[in-house]
Amino acid sequence: MAPYESDDSTPAGEVEDVRDGRRKAARYVVPVTVVGVAAATIGLVPAFAGSGDPDLPKISAQQLIEKIAKSDVQQMSGTVTISTDLGLPNLGGLEDSLASGALSRGGQGKGDSAADPSSKLLELASGTHTVRVAADGQDKQKLSLIEKAAEYSVIRNGDQVWAYDSASNQAYHATGAGEHKSGEAAPKDVPATPRDFADQALKAADKTTSVTVDGTAQVAGRDAYKLLVRPKQSGTTVGAISIAVDAKTGLPLKFTLTPAKGGAAVLDVGFTQVSFAKPAASTFDFTPPKGTKVTQGDDLKPGKGEKAGKGGHEAQREDTGEAPWGGSASKTLGEGWNAIYVFDTGSKGGVPSGSPSGDGAASGFLNSLGDHVTGKFGSGTVFSTRLINALITDDGKVYAGAVTKDALLKAANAGK
């Protein structure tokens, strides 16, 4: 694809410098493609300090994106607060139990321990949580989910990965993290810091996106610039994304996603405390307490239809022409923030009916969210949150995206 034209394009030499920086610290930097694509979409609005905000030198959005891309923070520790509000109803914990069960089923064969990260860390997808993070290079990382009367930690130290759940006194152990035998257990694979979410948001920065600098702020006692990411398109449920970027290191310190309809943030992830000093070596040591039930996960290898990704850090499904759960391959309608992903599950009957033979809990939950609709596609049910909407038709097709209900119905009625 040809590069977009821009008056604020980056010279080739500078782009190459960014590429070199990414190779040296792939874990911490935004993919270089962001810098190239963003040139066509970012505004040239410099940052100005508001009342009470730090007075920092002016910077353009292009320069701030490059600052993020060149950031090479290898050693740090801090506390992060994660708040997620998708607008799902409170059904007495049913939401959490269904989500946890779904992820546990997805991880079958990869460890049955209550400490298995593939199920435990789904808790971050709802509510407000406190997470402590620490890193000393790419081989020593720790993430701890702090609960009311318990703590859950995932620790990577070299090729050793431990996960420990103090509530159940269970541990999960795997080796060979660098060879993907246990890549899913590594803390770096869990989106739990502003950097993790900022990386994903900036990957979407294309011609359908406006990126500007929106002043300055203080986050966790650090001076920061605010990068504002807005969809140019209508029809998306995303209103804006604000990323607070540390003025000195270029590390994102806070990530906030607000919906198009306004109101509270759908996702707010930010450091409340951060240090760039080297963590103590003991931070990454772990020995199971006496009496701990330990589940070994050393046999974690890519299963049938999966292969190790580049660098061997994550499993990816081979392009077999099928959706992950079977049926025909997925396709994408539209572009940018208005993209709608279409899957054919290969099953008829749409959502669970709630019959005695079905999963009653799941059926009740789905029916409480669903809005039954009809159109040229036949009939189906739209499930809505404050960010993601999905239409499941009675003939087994799924249309989903960060788009409005009307956009989903339009796509389904087009019969594409």
Side-chain angles (χ1 to χ4, degrees):
M1 181 174 61
Y4 299 110
E5 294 182 359
S6 172
D7 293 333
D8 191 33
S9 59
T10 305
E14 292 184 18
V15 171
E16 192 58 36
D17 289 341
V18 177
R19 293 182 187 275
D20 292 339
R22 182 176 185 269
R23 295 189 186 103
K24 288 186 290 186
R27 162 66 184 94
Y28 297 96
V29 302
V30 178
V32 161
T33 52
V34 172
V35 178
V37 175
T41 62
I42 59 179
L44 303 181
V45 182
F48 293 95
S51 177
D53 292 327
D55 186 8
L56 297 174
K58 298 177 183 179
I59 190 171
S60 71
Q62 177 72 28
Q63 291 170 328
L64 188 52
I65 288 178
E66 291 177 356
K67 190 177 186 69
I68 297 173
K70 293 178 180 179
S71 174
D72 189 17
V73 174
Q74 295 284 332
Q75 298 172 334
M76 59 84 64
S77 60
T79 302
V80 177
T81 296
I82 302 176
S83 296
T84 307
D85 181 8
L86 290 173
L88 298 176
N90 185 345
L91 301 179
L94 179 59
E95 170 192 340
D96 292 337
S97 63
L98 285 173
S100 178
L103 192 56
S104 295
R105 286 191 293 273
Q108 285 180 354
K110 299 181 180 180
D112 299 322
S113 171
D116 185 347
S118 66
S119 58
K120 183 65 177 180
L121 291 173
L122 185 67
E123 293 180 13
L124 298 177
S126 63
T128 298
H129 302 275
T130 298
V131 176
R132 294 193 185 119
V133 296
D136 183 5
Q138 298 187 35
D139 294 330
K140 292 184 178 182
Q141 298 152 0
K142 182 176 181 178
L143 180 153
S144 296
L145 174 60
I146 310 302
E147 300 172 328
K148 290 183 179 179
E151 181 174 323
Y152 175 79
S153 295
V154 184
I155 306 104
R156 178 181 179 183
N157 194 336
D159 66 351
Q160 300 295 308
V161 174
W162 282 95
Y164 177 66
D165 180 19
S166 67
S168 63
N169 198 28
Q170 294 190 43
Y172 179 88
H173 176 237
T175 60
E179 299 176 357
H180 179 63
K181 294 172 75 175
S182 55
E184 291 182 359
K188 67 176 182 177
D189 292 332
V190 180
T193 69
R195 183 55 180 261
D196 298 328
F197 293 99
D199 283 356
Q200 296 302 314
L202 291 177
K203 285 179 183 177
D206 60 11
K207 63 184 180 181
T208 68
T209 310
S210 167
V211 184
T212 58
V213 178
D214 188 35
T216 65
Q218 267 217 341
V219 179
R222 305 279 302 185
D223 291 348
Y225 293 104
K226 293 191 295 183
L227 192 67
L228 186 64
V229 180
R230 286 183 179 275
K232 291 182 177 179
Q233 302 163 305
S234 60
T236 177
T237 55
V238 177
I241 294 172
S242 177
I243 304 170
V245 182
D246 186 65
K248 185 174 181 180
T249 67
L251 180 74
L253 299 175
K254 188 174 177 64
F255 176 98
T256 305
L257 188 157
T258 53
K261 289 185 177 181
V266 171
L267 178 64
D268 188 68
V269 184
F271 280 99
T272 57
Q273 181 276 327
V274 65
S275 169
F276 296 106
K278 180 177 180 178
S282 59
T283 302
F284 310 101
D285 293 336
F286 178 78
T287 300
K290 186 177 180 180
T292 300
K293 177 184 176 182
V294 179
T295 298
Q296 296 294 335
D298 290 348
D299 59 347
L300 276 181
K301 296 179 180 179
K304 183 178 180 181
E306 294 181 335
K307 60 182 179 180
K310 291 183 178 180
H313 292 305
E314 64 179 0
Q316 299 176 346
R317 186 177 181 85
E318 289 183 4
D319 185 9
T320 60
E322 296 183 351
W325 55 82
S328 64
S330 63
K331 62 180 178 180
T332 303
L333 305 177
E335 63 178 346
W337 303 91
N338 284 355
I340 297 174
Y341 302 93
V342 186
F343 305 88
D344 190 339
T345 66
S347 63
K348 306 297 181 181
V351 300
S353 63
S355 63
S357 60
D359 186 338
S363 301
F365 176 68
L366 292 174
N367 289 332
S368 72
L369 292 179
D371 181 9
H372 297 283
V373 294
T374 59
K376 294 180 180 178
F377 56 85
S379 60
T381 307
V382 173
F383 301 103
S384 299
T385 72
R386 298 177 67 219
L387 183 64
I388 302 297
N389 292 321
L391 164 64
I392 304 179
T393 65
D394 287 347
D395 63 359
K397 287 187 178 180
V398 179
Y399 298 79
V403 297
T404 63
K405 171 183 172 182
D406 289 343
L408 290 178
L409 294 177
K410 182 177 179 180
N413 281 327
K416 296 181 180 179

